[in-house]
Amino acid sequence: MENEPRGLLISPIRDGTVIDHISAGAALTVLRMLDITGQTDEELSIATNVTSMTSGHEGKKDIVKVSNRELSKEEVDRIALISPHATINIIRDYIVVEKKGVEIPKFLSGIIRCTNAGCITNDNEPIKSAFEVTEEGLHCLYCDTVITTNPENHII
């Protein structure tokens, strides 16, 4: 392994956001949650199932780099739902000027839709969805539906 070539998998970005330590295989879900598609203007770099050495523990992770865009708090909250160990790095002139972990908020408003088709928030009413984050999942404050978590404790 010591003769194994080392190099950058993804080139650096001048300005924008790097989302690191995304749960392996979740990068495309993160892009969907950020409304980034192949038909939007963002320049993207994506690496999936990259070897990660975190605290001496080897595992896999995804990385997303988005040029010329800094994420809003609501967008970071969405990422926390699918990848609670992700880190957000703000890049300006090729330098990391801010690095922070994501935190799952106690309440979410207008970020995701209720899965109950009969919920008032899905009935063309001018009402934003509202959820309380619990250990069981997301509890809709309007209809009491609970959106459960998958085995890795990520909201689905």
Side-chain angles (χ1 to χ4, degrees):
M1 294 232 196
E2 62 188 71
N3 292 333
E4 191 174 307
R6 302 284 300 167
L8 293 174
L9 291 175
I10 300 176
S11 59
I13 59 174
R14 179 183 198 102
D15 298 296
T17 302
V18 176
I19 309 163
D20 198 359
H21 301 286
I22 300 168
S23 302
L28 298 179
T29 303
V30 167
L31 292 176
R32 256 192 323 274
M33 290 190 88
L34 296 176
D35 293 325
I36 296 174
T37 67
Q39 297 170 4
T40 54
D41 292 335
E42 293 89 357
E43 184 177 308
L44 302 172
S45 296
I46 303 165
T48 59
N49 294 311
V50 178
T51 300
S52 172
M53 291 295 293
T54 304
S55 302
H57 173 54
E58 187 173 336
K60 297 287 184 179
K61 68 178 181 178
D62 290 358
I63 304 168
V64 172
K65 292 185 177 188
V66 184
S67 292
N68 301 317
R69 180 170 169 184
E70 292 185 17
L71 303 182
S72 69
K73 179 175 179 358
E74 291 79 19
E75 290 172 323
V76 173
D77 288 348
R78 285 185 207 144
I79 292 168
L81 294 175
I82 25 173
S83 194
H85 302 293
T87 56
I88 307 297
N89 300 293
I90 305 301
I91 312 296
R92 294 190 189 126
D93 203 19
Y94 297 105
I95 297 172
V96 176
V97 296
E98 184 179 351
K99 182 175 186 166
K100 59 186 172 187
V102 299
E103 292 181 23
I104 298 175
K106 293 182 187 335
F107 293 95
L108 301 170
S109 178
I111 293 177
I112 64 169
R113 298 181 70 172
C114 184
T115 56
N116 176 0
C119 182
I120 192 168
T121 61
N122 290 325
D123 197 24
N124 292 326
E125 296 291 333
I127 297 173
K128 288 184 179 181
S129 64
F131 293 91
E132 174 186 21
V133 180
T134 68
E135 287 186 23
E136 291 78 35
L138 300 179
H139 170 243
C140 178
L141 298 178
Y142 291 101
C143 71
D144 287 330
T145 295
V146 176
I147 302 174
T148 58
T149 58
N150 69 17
E152 290 92 26
N153 288 329
H154 306 158
I155 304 297
I156 53 175

